[in-house]
Structures are given as structure tokens and as C-alpha cells.
Amino acid sequence: MNLKVTYLILPLMLGALTQHKAAAQTVTIPVETSKNALVLQADGKHYLNTIYFGPKLNDSKEYSNVAAAYGSNHDPSGQMASAYTPGGSRNLLEPAISVIHADGNYSLDLQYVSHKTDHISDDITLTSILLKDPAYNFEVTLFYKAYLKDNVVEQWSNIRNNEKGIVTLQKFASANLYLKAPAFWLTQYHGDWAKEMRPEETRITHGIKTLDTKLGTRANLFEPSVFMVSLDKPATEDDGTVMYGGLEWSGNFRTDLELDPENNLRIISGINNYASPYQLKPNEDFVTPAFWYTLSKNGKGEASRNIQHWARNYKLLDGKGSRLTLLNNWESTFFDFDEAKLASLLKDTKKLGVDLFLLDDGWFGNKYPRNGDHTALGDWQETKTKLPNGIASLVKGAQDNGVKFGIWIEPEMVSPKSELYEKHPDWVIKQPKRDEYYFRNQLELDLSNPAVQDFVYGIVDNLFTKNPDLAYIKWDCNAVIYNAYSAHLKNQSQFYVDYVRGLYKVLERIRAKYPKVPMMLCSGGGGRVDYAALQYFTEFWPSDNTDPLERVFIQWEYSYFYPAIASSNHVTDWSKLPIKYRTDVAMMGKLGFDIVISKLGENDLRFVQNAVKTFDEIKPVVWQGDQYRLLNPREGSVASIAYVNEARTTAIMFNYLVNYRYDEGSIQPIRLKGLDPGKQYKVKEINLYPGSRSGIDESKTYTGDFLMKIGINPKVNSGRTSVILEADAQ
């Protein structure tokens, strides 16, 4: 959710609610997409429950019969299936919301009052349901935004205090789902720096499984907020029922998965309430971030395509647009550069044939020059000894070479050894009675403070004011929050929430003034990746681990939840694998380079120059096409993935060797997916290394039916470790 927009429209929406006053009868409320339905029902006592989540029925009137079809249960509380479970009254399980009323009472009871459904467009409906406590002047409005074509729902809540005193929110979830099935399997992710997105699948047993983070920033470092739940049996790529979900929030999150005594699954997700009781003043609203989810009856692949299409159309900034291919200086120079070195790299950028040169860390600080990662964060002035003529001369130098210029910043952070720290210690997040404790030798600035928000916004604004032709921002966030404390806030329990809200306020201001400037969301890798942050960024950095073999696995897992156009993949020198393998892997997303062009051999240079041209030809299919995972790298010696354009006239198929033991490779044909069975296709190998020959007979023509039922062998082996094929309809 865009919080700024939400705060503007919610009062209007709440005031305009169509009053469907509930009499002593049930009220059935279906939230439908093209294939699925979430059905809520208010019973005769005005309690709102989830009675169904599954394939859409042809006749919506039949939803009223669903509850009876499942028969009676043994729920003594009557609230196990609650659509938004309140704590402290009759509920016996994990609540979605718990409060302390102005009079100190901990109980909450929420009853249905009214609902309405607005048709935002041909593809979007917004259902809002008002719930109120009969004993206290306290209300919650549940929102369900359904995207019909993509079978995605966003759910959030607006919590309002109409009492005469302060109400403290103890827990404040965005969504509370209720799933029925004989059994459930959870796929979750874990990781660390350079080890992002490692999957684990387990059967869900009784009790509560909690996925959460308490890191404050870089929230996804150890555990991303995205997950899958398979119903009945573990889903495969093309078979089984599976739900994907994730929270649109760039700070502490919490998802509880509870198998209840009736063997049904309750999923409650939202901002982590850890150390975060939030006080609501009279007549004040608290809007939770959106929780998104999709349901597929045809396995993980369909669920991914739902999310990727939805993201490109509605969530990712400029998701239907283009992207710049860049050359980064980081692995060429690290902190050791000057104008002469950068001038040479600008020429290399032109020689490579890419669009943009990106200057990474190390360009700022004078009293404490940024010659390593211990100093200068916060002092965003060009280092005079390195750049005596400033950023402006580099922007001009890039233009003279026919390329664009971008720059790295980490504006939320401060080095203890910096002029900013000396001038504004009250802007720094640190406990006044504790020793400072550093993550990557740095601390965070307090974005709950409006003065700090102005400063961080000013970093970006000043760069563009002085350099209007600046073309790209890489926004990093390398530290987590230790010793959380805000000198600005009177109530420290609101810090974690207000920090993220402050970040969004800054990003909203930046995008209001600079709506089209490409920005990479970088956080030491995938530490801050979610669909709230991606409203403001054109792409994200999946991992600092750019070893191409590792990246096959990392990018594979990210692809379940994020489209290829959002994944920023660079060719680097992390690995000894051939330059072709490194480049082919990076082309499975948004291609970039972080290599020393001047040290490339003649054939390697010619290859990457041709690869840039090849990528320009195929990137519309990779970025906007439907993705089909063909061979899982965790299940064999070859990874294979394909992208097919909407017209099904072109497919780009990436194939990689992931097992280097003797005689491993693609032994059998690999079956494609998503083609038109009636069309005739020519298959050719592209992105060949200079002097090499294709292993594919390009004279043959195949029907889509043949390629999907029999397939084609890309002949991946130890001598052909990466192969890209293009299938074109004739």
C-alpha cells in the first residue's frame, strides 16, 4: 500500500460505506478473482468468519451452502475461522489483533456492521468490511483488493480508535486467512549474506510456526517474508494446489502459521509486534501494510506467473518499461580510484556497448575520506583528493563517451567517524546507556525524525540539483539495527514502525520529484526486497554472491516471487567459470557488468560486446514473457528455464550445467512449456562464444506440440556448460 494515498482515501471510503445492516441472518461476502474465491460470512450473531478459500464456483449463490457442506465442528470458541481474530475475549488461539483499551481492559470483540464492493477497474475490485466492538467505540475495516486476471489478492486493515483515551495496539496483523485441507506443507526460506533464498519444505504440524524478523532494516537477511503453502500434498512445478504469500513491508514482519485443533490452517501475517506496542490517540487510524497472496491449482509455475504478471502491471515501478544495462566500477577499483581511473572506465563503458557507468562506494567525505568502510557515511560531498572536479565532471565525461552516469549512495547510514555524527549525534540510532555496536562499521540514522527525513531526501535532491543529467541511483542499506533507540520519539515502542514509515515518506518525496529515474534497491544482497519497497525502485540486487553457479540457485528461488525484469544480475570475476557461463546466467534478468574490461582477452571482449547486442534483442521476451521452469537445479545436473512471449511466437531457453562430475550433462531432451502446439518453430543457439559451433541442428522445424511433448536436447556438458536456445515461430 502507498501509505500517503491510503491516508487520503480511507476516510472517504469509510464515510461512503454502503450500509448493509446485518439482521439476524447470515451475510455472505465473496471476494473473487477469475479462478479463485475467498468467501467470508457473517453469522446471525454478527461474527465474520472465513467459510471458503479455493476455486471459484460458477454460481456465487452457492457459497451460502459451503459451511453446511463441511459439516459441524468442535470449536468451543466459535472463532477459529474468524476473518480477523480478536484477542482477549472468547478466542483460544493466536489473535490477529489485540489491544489495551483506554480504560485498561484487554478484551476485544469485533462484530460485522456493513460491507461494500467497489469496482476500481475491469480488473480490480475492492471489498471493505466494517467491524466494531459492541462494548467499546473501536472499529476495524478489512480491505480485500482482488486482481481478477492474475488471481492475486491484497489484504490489509484499517484500525480506528474512537474512544476518548489512548488505545494501545498489542498486535495488528494485516491478514488472517483460514485454509481447509487434509494436510499442509510449508516452503520457507532462510539465508545470510551471500547465501540468500535457501528453501526448506516441511509438513505443518500442530502448534505455531512463526516466520519473522527483528532486524529493523535489511529485514530479509536471515528470513524473507515470502513463503508457499501446499495443500493436500507438496506441490510441484505443474501439479498441486499451492498458495504464495508475502508482506508488503520493509521492516520487521511476522507470519504465524497455526494448525488448529480442527486440523485447519490459520495464517496471520503483518508487522512484527515485537517491542512495538503502538498507541492510537482518539480518532486516529492505524493502516497496516498489505499482505498479498495467490492460489494455484496447477502447481508452482502458475502461481509464479500470476505474481510476476501482477508485479509488472501493478507493483513494480515501471514494470512494463525498459532498463539500463550498466558497467559498475566496484570490483575493478573498490575504494581505490581517481578521475583518471574513472575516465578510463568511462571509455570501457562505451567500448562494452552498455548504456551506463555506475560509480560505486568511495566517492565522498573530506575530513574523513571514504577510503574504506569505516568512515564518511553521512558526509555526502565529493572527496576533493579523488574527484577535484566533482561529480559534474564525471557526468559530462560520460556524456562525451555517449553513455549515462549513475551513482551509489547509502543515505540511511552514518559512520561513527564522520562529520555528520559529530554534528548530529541525536540523529543516530543508539542506546544512550549502552556501548555502540556496529554492523559493517556503521549505524543507522533515525528516520522516525522528520529532520532526518529531510536530510536523507536532500542527499538525493542535491545530487540531481547539481547534476540534472544524473541517470541512475544505487540505494544501499548494509546494516541492521542494534540498540534501537530514537532521541526524537517519546514512545520508544513505536520506533520500528515509525522508522519504516519515515523511509517511505522519503521515497515518496523522491518519486514525486524524480518519478522516472531508475533506482536499484540494494541491501548487501536481498536484505530489503518486498512489494512495498519495489513501488519506488525499478530493480533489486538479489545477492552480493555473484558466482554464476551460486546465482543459478539464488535467481531460481527469487523467480518464484519476483519477475525477471526486477532482478539485477551482474557479470563479475567472482568465479573461474567461463565468461560465457557468467554472462548467460546474468542474462536471465537485468544484465549488468562488474568486470575489468581492459583485462579481457580479444575473444572474451568480442563475446561480451556481442552478448550486449544479443541481450538487447531478447530482453523483451525475458522481461515481459511468461516464465517456465523446466529442470530444477536441485534435482539434477542441469538447470533449465524458459521465457515465452505473450503471442507464443518466441521462447528463450536458458540451460546451465550445475554438476561438474564426470560425464554429467543433458542426457535427454528437455520439454518446453507455454508454446502454441499448432505453430511451427525453428530452434537456434544464440550467444555463442567466438569460434565455437552450435550443437543444435538449426535446419529442422518442430511443432510446438513436439517441443512440449518430446523436447529438445541443448547438449549441455562439460564442454558446453551454458547454452541459450531461441525458438521462433515460422
Side-chain angles (χ1 to χ4, degrees):
M1 282 296 297
N2 183 311
L3 292 176
K4 182 177 180 181
V5 173
T6 302
Y7 282 123
L8 290 173
I9 67 171
L10 278 174
L12 298 174
M13 293 171 61
L14 292 171
L17 279 173
T18 303
Q19 298 297 311
H20 296 292
K21 291 293 184 179
Q25 71 226 19
T26 59
V27 177
T28 304
I29 309 167
V31 178
E32 295 181 317
T33 64
S34 61
K35 292 183 179 180
N36 300 322
L38 172 70
V39 184
L40 309 168
Q41 190 174 78
D43 62 19
K45 295 181 180 179
H46 311 303
Y47 290 110
L48 185 71
N49 294 300
T50 301
I51 62 167
Y52 180 71
F53 181 40
K56 176 180 176 180
L57 299 183
N58 292 332
D59 185 353
S60 61
K61 294 178 183 178
E62 289 197 289
Y63 291 126
S64 60
N65 299 325
V66 169
Y70 280 98
S72 61
N73 59 36
H74 303 284
D75 175 8
S77 68
Q79 291 197 324
M80 288 185 185
S82 174
Y84 198 68
T85 313
S89 54
R90 304 189 331 272
N91 173 46
L92 300 175
L93 302 176
E94 183 66 28
I97 181 172
S98 59
V99 306
I100 305 174
H101 291 284
D103 64 0
N105 192 298
Y106 278 71
S107 68
L108 182 63
D109 193 14
L110 293 174
Q111 296 185 7
Y112 167 83
V113 176
S114 60
H115 77 277
K116 68 174 294 191
T117 298
D118 291 318
H119 292 269
I120 307 300
S121 70
D122 291 341
D123 189 41
I124 303 173
T125 63
L126 180 64
T127 298
S128 49
I129 306 172
L130 178 61
L131 309 175
K132 294 186 73 172
D133 189 315
Y136 288 88
N137 202 356
F138 184 89
E139 64 187 41
V140 175
T141 303
L142 305 180
F143 290 92
Y144 301 83
K145 193 173 188 179
Y147 299 81
L148 279 66
K149 295 176 185 176
D150 301 320
N151 296 292
V152 174
V153 175
E154 286 182 292
Q155 185 177 338
W156 70 95
S157 57
N158 182 75
I159 303 166
R160 182 169 178 81
N161 172 25
N162 292 316
E163 299 179 28
K164 294 182 179 180
I166 291 175
V167 172
T168 302
L169 304 181
Q170 298 283 82
K171 191 175 183 184
F172 31 91
S174 299
N176 187 168
L177 298 178
Y178 193 67
L179 283 65
K180 292 177 176 286
F184 304 91
W185 277 261
L186 169 67
T187 301
Q188 65 184 95
Y189 292 86
H190 71 98
D192 202 338
W193 180 82
K195 297 186 291 185
E196 288 83 1
M197 292 297 285
R198 299 195 171 186
E200 295 176 319
E201 185 173 56
T202 55
R203 182 166 179 166
I204 298 176
T205 57
H206 290 91
I208 299 177
K209 173 74 173 183
T210 298
L211 311 177
D212 79 333
T213 185
K214 304 177 181 72
L215 305 181
T217 57
R218 205 172 172 185
N220 295 305
L221 177 63
F222 300 141
E223 187 153 47
S225 60
V226 291
F227 64 94
M228 309 177 194
V229 172
S230 297
L231 286 69
D232 303 326
K233 61 182 181 180
T236 63
E237 190 66 23
D238 301 304
D239 181 60
T241 301
V242 63
M243 188 199 94
Y244 288 12
L247 190 67
E248 298 176 33
W249 182 249
S250 306
N252 294 346
F253 61 82
R254 173 177 169 178
T255 298
D256 296 312
L257 301 104
E258 182 175 22
L259 195 63
D260 73 11
E262 294 293 300
N263 299 314
N264 300 315
L265 182 63
R266 306 171 72 248
I267 301 176
I268 298 173
S269 186
I271 296 173
N272 198 335
N273 57 328
Y274 162 75
S276 297
Y278 205 93
Q279 291 189 344
L280 276 190
K281 299 174 183 177
N283 302 313
E284 187 176 7
D285 294 282
F286 185 96
V287 183
T288 69
F291 175 78
W292 62 263
Y293 49 95
T294 188
L295 184 71
S296 165
K297 295 287 288 183
N298 299 303
K300 298 176 182 179
E302 181 182 78
S304 291
R305 290 185 288 278
N306 288 346
I307 292 301
Q308 292 168 2
H309 189 270
W310 168 76
R312 290 192 298 264
N313 281 286
Y314 297 109
K315 302 307 294 185
L316 180 65
L317 183 65
D318 197 24
K320 301 294 286 185
S322 189
R323 298 292 186 270
L324 298 170
T325 305
L326 60 83
L327 173 65
N328 194 3
N329 74 300
W330 180 243
E331 295 197 13
S332 300
T333 67
F334 295 100
F335 294 101
D336 182 20
F337 58 81
D338 56 22
E339 286 184 349
K341 282 188 179 181
L342 296 180
S344 177
L345 289 172
L346 287 171
K347 293 179 181 178
D348 287 342
T349 308
K350 176 66 173 177
K351 182 190 297 185
L352 180 60
V354 297
D355 305 306
L356 177 137
F357 173 77
L358 173 64
L359 175 60
D360 214 290
D361 195 357
W363 59 268
F364 51 92
N366 284 297
K367 182 177 180 181
Y368 306 107
R370 182 74 167 175
N371 295 320
D373 64 6
H374 285 69
T375 60
L377 286 173
D379 300 342
W380 299 99
Q381 313 90 27
E382 299 96 322
T383 304
K384 293 177 182 178
T385 54
K386 291 183 180 180
L387 305 175
N389 296 300
I391 297 298
S393 68
L394 299 176
V395 174
K396 184 178 184 306
Q399 291 175 329
D400 291 343
N401 281 279
V403 296
K404 299 174 186 274
F405 185 85
I407 199 163
W408 176 97
I409 55 174
E410 194 173 7
E412 298 163 70
M413 303 295 167
V414 61
S415 299
K417 197 171 184 179
S418 66
E419 292 184 81
L420 180 66
Y421 185 98
E422 294 171 350
K423 185 178 180 181
H424 289 291
D426 57 315
W427 285 7
V428 179
I429 297 170
K430 58 176 183 172
Q431 288 280 355
K433 297 181 180 180
R434 308 285 183 193
D435 291 338
E436 292 178 3
Y437 195 76
Y438 307 128
F439 196 107
R440 199 179 179 255
N441 309 303
Q442 61 195 56
L443 295 166
E444 287 84 356
L445 295 173
D446 178 12
L447 278 175
S448 71
N449 185 339
V452 176
Q453 295 169 24
D454 290 341
F455 172 79
V456 173
Y457 167 76
I459 294 168
V460 178
D461 191 40
N462 289 337
L463 280 169
F464 282 105
T465 300
K466 294 177 181 178
N467 308 284
D469 293 321
L470 190 65
Y472 187 91
I473 293 289
K474 178 181 177 182
W475 182 302
D476 219 335
C477 174
N478 283 306
V480 302
I481 294 177
Y482 292 124
N483 292 329
Y485 180 86
S486 166
H488 167 73
L489 291 175
K490 293 181 180 179
N491 186 346
Q492 296 301 314
S493 70
Q494 301 191 178
F495 167 74
Y496 282 120
V497 173
D498 286 352
Y499 180 94
V500 180
R501 287 179 167 178
L503 171 65
Y504 291 160
K505 287 177 182 177
V506 172
L507 292 170
E508 285 165 8
R509 290 173 66 185
I510 291 170
R511 281 308 177 194
K513 190 169 182 180
Y514 307 103
K516 295 183 179 180
V517 174
M519 293 206 307
M520 180 201 294
L521 178 62
C522 185
S523 190
R528 179 187 276 169
V529 184
D530 64 86
Y531 280 118
L534 286 173
Q535 293 179 96
Y536 308 106
F537 293 85
T538 48
E539 59 222 55
F540 73 94
W541 183 238
S543 177
D544 279 351
N545 186 343
T546 54
D547 180 298
L549 181 59
E550 295 281 353
R551 272 300 191 108
V552 169
F553 291 83
I554 292 171
Q555 292 168 199
W556 182 279
E557 299 301 334
Y558 273 117
S559 78
Y560 286 110
F561 305 99
Y562 301 102
I565 192 173
S567 181
S568 191
N569 309 330
H570 289 185
V571 181
T572 76
D573 291 324
W574 259 52
S575 169
K576 299 299 182 183
L577 286 168
I579 188 73
K580 172 172 167 52
Y581 193 104
R582 287 179 270 155
T583 305
D584 287 355
V585 171
M587 289 171 73
M588 200 169 54
K590 193 198 95 69
L591 176 65
F593 293 87
D594 200 339
I595 54 178
V596 185
I597 302 300
S598 61
K599 293 184 179 180
L600 292 177
E602 180 182 351
N603 280 341
D604 281 359
L605 176 60
R606 187 146 52 100
F607 169 75
V608 293
Q609 289 172 329
N610 291 335
V612 170
K613 296 175 183 177
T614 298
F615 184 69
D616 285 342
E617 295 172 358
I618 68 172
K619 66 187 181 185
V621 180
V622 175
W623 289 351
Q624 302 297 335
D626 287 332
Q627 181 200 60
Y628 295 90
R629 287 175 289 268
L630 308 177
L631 291 182
N632 192 323
R634 286 185 166 80
E635 297 174 358
S637 297
V638 174
S640 183
I641 198 165
Y643 300 86
V644 182
N645 67 349
E646 185 178 4
R648 296 192 288 176
T649 55
T650 302
I652 307 298
M653 179 186 181
F654 296 88
N655 308 276
Y656 311 105
L657 184 67
V658 295
N659 182 348
Y660 284 79
R661 297 194 66 186
Y662 178 74
D663 203 30
E664 292 293 340
S666 54
I667 308 302
Q668 297 179 340
I670 300 173
R671 290 189 290 270
L672 280 83
K673 303 173 186 176
L675 302 179
D676 185 329
K679 282 186 167 64
Q680 299 281 334
Y681 292 88
K682 283 270 193 182
V683 180
K684 64 179 180 180
E685 184 173 352
I686 60 175
N687 216 41
L688 286 161
Y689 190 81
S692 64
R693 293 184 178 181
S694 172
I696 306 300
D697 185 349
E698 298 180 4
S699 65
K700 292 185 177 180
T701 301
Y702 308 89
T703 64
D705 181 61
F706 180 92
L707 291 172
M708 290 190 291
K709 290 178 179 176
I710 305 299
I712 190 166
N713 192 331
K715 298 182 180 177
V716 174
N717 53 53
S718 60
R720 288 166 51 82
T721 55
S722 64
V723 176
I724 304 178
L725 301 182
E726 180 176 1
D728 286 307
Q730 301 303 295

